[in-house]
Amino acid sequence: MPPRHPEILLAGSFWRLTMAHGCITTVESMIADPDVPNPLGSVQTAVRGRTGRRHFRTALVWLAAAVLAAHLGGLVAPWLSGAAGWSWFAPVAVVALVMLGLGVRQLIITVREQPSWLGAAIAAGVVTGILVLTSPAAGLIAFILGIGHLAGPVAAVAVGAVLLAVRRRPGRAAGSRPWTAAIAGLVAVVAVLAIALIDTFVLLPMQLVPDQPLDTIYAQLEAAGEASGRWMPIVWAALWAVGAAVLAIGLIRAHTSRRVASGALLATASVALAGLPVAQIGLGMNLADTFVTSGGMSWALPVIILFAALLAAGSATLLASAPSRDARTASVAHPL
């Protein structure tokens, strides 16, 4: 049935459109005019602050991975010779440079999003530059630190213990526990340690004493009283295995995302391999004293170091792309 008074309906529609246009114009003028208090300013500032923090955190992840890769390359560079040896070093350098570039890019984005972070960005860049420039002396630094490298697995245990002790705040939604990611990451760490022990106890003696079988090499080490160096790699691997296990349990207990769990454990494997040359020093000195060799490394160590750099890159990729805690909470509380 047609309305009796269409002019009233038209007038009402015109009034509503006028009011809507007036509200939009008022809000736009408040945002544009700096002298008018902006009710949305606090929201915009908070969003920009969270974005800046996320970019800065991502930058630190990439920069730390770049420093690790650079020092991994510095560990083997003094022992490389010929095109074959340097062909393993070049990919490590490329991986480090790519991650360094990604980290610097994130610092620039951080400052662009939040100019107040300029000081922190400059500090992070300077520290990273210093650490990268010291990478050619990575072997000397590792020798000076010596047993200090065992602080790595102790730190992994400490982080895992903290994650186990932390209680989730009431009202905060929790995601599913990253069982699969944590177990897979722990298996990867154990596999890496097994490869490192094979390199230490099989490939290294065969490389340094190529004219004798392996059982004869160890028999002569025992006869000469030069077998003490065998314990350091075992202690090194055992401590890292325990540290990785505690860290994996803590990551599961803390309801971290799958990317964080996988990234943290891949980083653990990469950092562990950075201490492998130090763990091999004792056995290498025993072999040098018994068989009068000049020392060195196995043919597989450059390959292992390249693998460690790729692990660092994979870890940084996972950690940099992991969702923030706020985003995870929102996705759990309001699933699509």
Side-chain angles (χ1 to χ4, degrees), residues 188-283:
V189 174
V190 173
V192 164
L193 294 175
I195 292 172
L197 290 179
I198 291 172
D199 177 70
T200 301
F201 292 115
V202 178
L203 301 180
L204 178 62
M206 293 177 64
Q207 181 79 24
L208 298 183
V209 191
D211 56 343
Q212 296 194 35
L214 195 61
D215 54 350
T216 302
I217 293 175
Y218 282 108
Q220 293 192 37
L221 285 176
E222 289 284 355
E226 294 285 350
S228 59
R230 291 186 297 179
W231 291 106
M232 182 53 120
I234 296 175
V235 172
W236 167 82
L239 287 176
W240 272 112
V242 172
V246 175
L247 179 60
I249 296 172
L251 291 168
I252 293 172
R253 172 67 179 79
H255 293 270
T256 58
S257 68
R258 289 187 293 272
R259 292 183 184 182
V260 169
S262 299
L265 288 167
L266 289 183
T268 301
S270 181
V271 175
L273 288 177
L276 177 59
V278 177
Q280 293 179 344
I281 286 178
L283 182 59

Side-chain angles (χ1 to χ4, degrees), residues 38-193:
N38 182 6
L40 301 179
S42 59
V43 176
Q44 292 173 337
T45 303
V47 171
R48 195 178 295 115
R50 285 196 297 270
T51 303
R53 284 194 298 271
R54 177 169 177 78
H55 284 300
F56 186 71
R57 185 169 60 248
T58 303
L60 293 182
V61 168
W62 284 117
L63 294 177
V67 170
L68 176 58
H71 278 258
L72 285 168
L75 287 173
V76 298
W79 303 98
L80 298 177
S81 61
W86 288 102
S87 64
W88 291 107
F89 174 79
V92 177
V94 170
V95 170
L97 288 174
V98 169
M99 292 191 292
L100 182 63
L102 291 172
V104 172
R105 176 177 178 271
Q106 289 297 318
L107 286 181
I108 294 173
I109 295 175
T110 299
V111 175
R112 186 178 301 169
E113 292 283 339
Q114 193 77 2
S116 61
W117 286 74
L118 177 61
I122 292 176
V126 170
V127 172
T128 300
I130 293 173
L131 293 177
V132 169
L133 290 176
T134 59
S135 60
L140 177 62
I141 295 172
F143 181 78
I144 293 174
L145 290 177
I147 200 171
H149 276 277
L150 297 181
V154 174
V157 171
V159 172
V162 169
L163 292 175
L164 285 171
V166 170
R167 303 295 181 186
R168 194 173 68 253
R169 286 183 293 178
R172 179 180 288 276
S176 59
R177 297 180 189 269
W179 286 98
T180 304
I183 292 174
L186 181 58
V187 170
V189 174
V190 173
V192 164
L193 294 175

